[in-house]
Amino acid sequence: MAIDEREPLLLANGSESECDEAIDEVESKNNDALPENWSLAYRRGLVMLLAFMAFTVAMIADLNHGEGSRSASVLLVTIWELGEAAGPLLIAPLSEIYGRYPVLNAANVLFIVGIVVSALSQSVNVLVFSRFLTGCAVATNVLNPAIIGDMFPPEHRGTAMSATMLAPLLGGAVGPAIAGALAQKVGWRWIMYMSLILAVVAEVLILTLLRETYKVVILQKQSKQRKSSAEDLSLVRTLSRTEVAVWTSMTRPASVFWSSSILKVLALFGSVAFTFFYVMSTTLPEILQRQYHFSPSLVGTAFMSFSAGSASGLVVCNLFVDRIYVRLQKVELYSSGPENRLPLTIVGAFSLPIAVATYGWVAELVLPAPLLLLAVAMMGFCLVMGVTGLMVYVVDAFGEYSASALTAMLITRCLMGTFLPLLTTPLTGAIGYGWGFMVLASICLLLAPIPLLVFKYGKGWRQKSQYTKDD
């Protein structure tokens, strides 16, 4: 039986809770503790802060930065991705019990510890373990969209979501530009020291400026303050079920995933689309060094083209995601609902295979380097276009279940990001960059109709899942 995430998780045992009535009493538009009542400037500032942390995290996702063997580069990325797949299983449920604020800060501290261990590591085993640890502690992937969903109404989520989606892509592209020069001159450990400084600054800002955003936890705390001493006895009994609640919440992403056909197909599309960022980041250094004879510092600079494409995609999303949504909500030809978030995702879905194929054939034919960098920029543009609307759709469609749905999508994406880059190496080695990336582009093209089908039939499909059906 599904557990309603709109109810306090610790009380989710199927019975009516005394706390529910108290929550309803304290909930009002004049409640300054609720994030929707915070000033717009403050909320926008928090979005930038979350984006800064996501940028910092992504800067060290690829430690190799074009140096050493390709297998080592892929290993360091895939170990990180495995950690990112494991961490949300605990991060998301704990955030639904204790709130976003304490869980985000605890994860950030663990992330900082992981960076320190990486910087001081003297063996490959310790380095691999520290990479897995830092991957596990990445909370921004799953909590950033959830926090934005807490703070903004549906018609204003697109712009904020695009900013936090762009940040890790920029970090993964700008990072090598800086790290390539650092690694060549002073060694890779200084990359970790630089990331450590950024992570500490981001955590101090989050610790001091961020407030709790999860409405259920905020109202629970307020209701507890109104309880009499007699009612505290029931609260003690409730808290004794924390272990059961954590386990229930840990299994909820799987429950949401398997009960929703829409989430399955969108997770498949989104994970494959986003994985091309990791494919690009692990193949571009080798292509530039072997095919174009770039130095490591120039290889890092070449990643800036991906940043330029991603930034262009962000501009388009900022200008049109929310506007298209509001416009389509008013058009009688289209039914109102979260499906109206997907037009730009559809464009990105059908454009990405073209960019992937172009990237492969330019590398295969050793065409001028500017054409290769243009293809990389196209991939960044199409990726942001395709993924941003998708994430906003999931937040809107799953509502109070969005954290669990996002966790399921993130795990799928990380698993795909772990294994697809490993397959790319033997594929391009066997049939070359041109035909190898044609195969990958064909897979991407086969999945491209998924957002279009969800846009057209999604409202009916959503009614088949207890987690997405309209009230």
Side-chain angles (χ1 to χ4, degrees):
M1 183 177 66
I3 297 175
D4 193 347
E5 293 191 16
R6 290 168 290 187
E7 298 179 359
L9 182 58
L10 291 178
L11 300 176
N13 60 350
S15 62
E16 294 293 328
S17 67
E18 298 176 4
C19 185
D20 289 340
E21 296 180 0
I23 288 179
D24 292 336
E25 291 176 2
V26 300
E27 183 176 2
S28 69
K29 292 183 178 180
N30 296 324
N31 190 342
D32 293 335
L34 298 180
E36 61 263 30
N37 295 326
W38 299 344
S39 70
L40 182 59
Y42 176 66
R43 284 180 286 165
R44 286 177 175 173
L46 293 181
V47 170
M48 293 299 102
L49 182 56
L50 295 174
F52 175 55
M53 187 64 199
F55 173 87
T56 302
V57 167
M59 282 193 66
I60 60 172
D62 181 5
L63 267 183
N64 220 44
H65 307 298
E67 295 193 342
S69 68
R70 181 175 176 180
S71 59
S73 177
V74 174
L75 174 63
L76 291 175
V77 171
T78 54
I79 287 296
W80 174 285
E81 285 299 299
L82 281 176
E84 280 192 309
L89 290 174
L90 194 59
I91 291 173
L94 288 178
S95 76
E96 293 172 354
I97 297 174
Y98 301 107
R100 321 288 195 206
Y101 178 81
V103 174
L104 180 60
N105 282 287
N108 287 345
V109 171
L110 184 61
F111 179 78
I112 291 171
V113 171
I115 296 177
V116 173
V117 174
S118 295
L120 301 178
S121 62
Q122 299 297 324
S123 68
V124 174
N125 291 338
V126 174
L127 179 60
V128 169
F129 169 76
S130 65
R131 293 285 291 172
F132 180 79
L133 179 63
T134 50
C136 286
V138 175
T140 52
N141 287 339
V142 65
L143 291 188
N144 278 7
I147 291 173
I148 288 173
D150 294 341
M151 293 193 298
F152 294 94
E155 61 270 18
H156 296 299
R157 287 174 185 162
T159 300
M161 197 77 75
S162 61
T164 56
M165 286 296 300
L166 175 67
L169 297 177
L170 285 178
V174 174
I178 301 173
L182 282 178
Q184 195 173 23
K185 294 181 179 180
V186 295
W188 64 268
R189 294 185 192 275
W190 282 96
I191 303 171
M192 308 305 301
Y193 297 145
M194 177 187 66
S195 301
L196 177 62
I197 294 172
L198 292 176
V200 170
V201 171
E203 169 54 17
V204 170
L205 292 174
I206 290 174
L207 186 65
T208 55
L209 299 179
L210 181 66
R211 289 184 280 171
E212 181 56 58
T213 64
Y214 192 41
K215 190 173 184 178
V216 172
V217 171
I218 294 172
L219 297 179
Q220 274 185 320
K221 290 180 179 179
Q222 292 182 341
S223 67
K224 291 173 186 177
Q225 294 173 357
R226 295 173 176 238
K227 286 180 177 291
S228 64
S229 57
E231 291 174 313
D232 287 340
L233 295 176
S234 63
L235 178 61
V236 171
R237 289 193 296 270
T238 297
L239 292 176
S240 67
R241 292 195 291 269
T242 300
E243 182 178 349
V244 176
V246 172
W247 172 252
T248 301
S249 191
M250 285 180 66
T251 58
R252 182 183 293 150
S255 176
V256 174
F257 181 80
W258 290 113
S259 71
S260 174
S261 58
I262 284 183
L263 187 60
K264 291 189 187 75
V265 295
L266 289 181
L268 176 62
F269 165 76
S271 60
V272 172
F274 201 92
T275 298
F276 281 105
F277 168 69
Y278 300 110
V279 171
M280 182 275 300
S281 66
T282 55
T283 58
L284 183 61
E286 181 189 59
I287 291 172
L288 290 176
Q289 288 184 317
R290 291 187 179 181
Q291 306 286 85
Y292 293 90
H293 310 291
F294 275 33
S295 66
S297 59
L298 285 179
V299 168
T301 305
F303 279 83
M304 293 297 293
S305 61
F306 187 86
S307 300
S310 301
S312 300
L314 172 64
V315 171
V316 173
C317 291
N318 276 339
L319 290 175
F320 296 110
V321 167
D322 289 334
R323 292 182 183 181
I324 292 174
Y325 173 77
V326 173
R327 180 73 60 86
L328 293 182
Q329 291 288 89
K330 299 176 181 179
V331 177
E332 294 183 2
L333 181 62
Y334 302 97
S335 59
S336 62
E339 287 73 28
N340 293 330
R341 292 288 190 186
L342 295 175
L344 289 182
T345 298
I346 295 170
V347 176
F350 283 97
S351 302
L352 184 59
I354 300 174
V356 173
T358 302
Y359 173 74
W361 280 113
V362 170
E364 177 71 21
L365 301 175
V366 198
L367 298 179
L371 290 180
L372 180 68
L373 299 182
L374 179 60
V376 172
M378 287 174 56
M379 290 177 65
F381 179 84
C382 297
L383 188 58
V384 170
M385 287 271 289
V387 175
T388 300
L390 184 68
M391 300 299 288
V392 182
Y393 172 83
V394 171
V395 172
D396 288 357
F398 286 83
E400 299 293 336
Y401 302 95
S402 61
S404 296
L406 289 169
T407 298
M409 286 195 67
L410 178 61
I411 292 172
T412 306
R413 191 198 85 188
C414 291
L415 291 176
M416 190 68 70
T418 298
F419 297 109
L420 188 57
L422 293 175
L423 296 176
T424 303
T425 301
L427 180 64
T428 56
I431 59 178
Y433 291 113
W435 289 111
F437 277 93
M438 277 294 290
V439 172
L440 298 178
S442 299
I443 296 173
C444 195
L445 183 61
L446 288 175
L447 300 177
I450 288 177
L452 179 61
L453 294 174
V454 174
F455 176 73
K456 190 172 183 179
Y457 304 108
K459 185 171 184 179
W461 292 348
R462 282 191 291 110
Q463 310 313 311
K464 298 179 182 180
S465 172
Q466 56 195 333
Y467 297 102
T468 56
K469 62 182 179 181
D470 296 329
D471 295 333

